[in-house]
Amino acid sequence: PGLDTEKVLDELLEQEKNNFTPGFLRHIEGECNRISGAPTLSRESGRLLETLRIIQARVVEELGKDLGEGAQVLGQLMGYDDRTERLAVLD
């Protein structure tokens, strides 16, 4: 079932590529920050955060298919949860 789910997600991301705006990515980032900044993290919140991070990374990858190596680096940077870690890697 995992491979089927991944294939469905790939198809969905490709179909919706034109709907992925900077605002959409900022919204996902804001939700991730909100969840990770909560005083306590329930199991469900943790899973939601993980799912949002996966979606965020996959959207960046999809948008970056046409951009080459720079987009790959950006996609890898999205794997870092902390903004300061991402900036440190870029330095």
Side-chain angles (χ1 to χ4, degrees), residues 6-17 20:
E6 184 126 355
K7 184 177 179 184
V8 169
L9 180 58
D10 288 342
E11 291 171 1
L12 175 68
L13 291 172
E14 189 171 333
Q15 290 171 4
E16 297 296 326
K17 184 176 184 175
F20 300 139

Side-chain angles (χ1 to χ4, degrees), residues 12-74:
L12 175 68
L13 291 172
E14 189 171 333
Q15 290 171 4
E16 297 296 326
K17 184 176 184 175
N18 293 330
N19 295 321
F20 300 139
T21 64
F24 175 73
L25 287 172
R26 280 192 301 274
H27 175 72
I28 290 178
E29 181 69 20
E31 288 301 303
C32 290
N33 290 340
R34 183 183 65 76
I35 294 168
S36 63
T40 58
L41 191 64
S42 70
R43 206 167 169 209
E44 292 80 16
S45 295
R47 289 194 67 193
L48 178 59
L49 179 60
E50 181 181 355
T51 300
L52 286 171
R53 290 285 185 208
I54 290 169
I55 291 169
Q56 185 180 41
R58 295 293 300 275
V59 166
V60 169
E61 288 173 6
E62 185 62 37
L63 292 174
K65 281 183 180 177
D66 301 328
L67 299 178
E69 187 177 313
Q72 288 178 342
V73 170
L74 181 58

Side-chain angles (χ1 to χ4, degrees), residues 73 76-77 80 83-91:
V73 170
Q76 292 169 352
L77 287 174
Y80 291 95
R83 183 175 187 268
T84 56
E85 288 176 338
R86 290 191 295 261
L87 292 175
V89 170
L90 288 174
D91 286 340

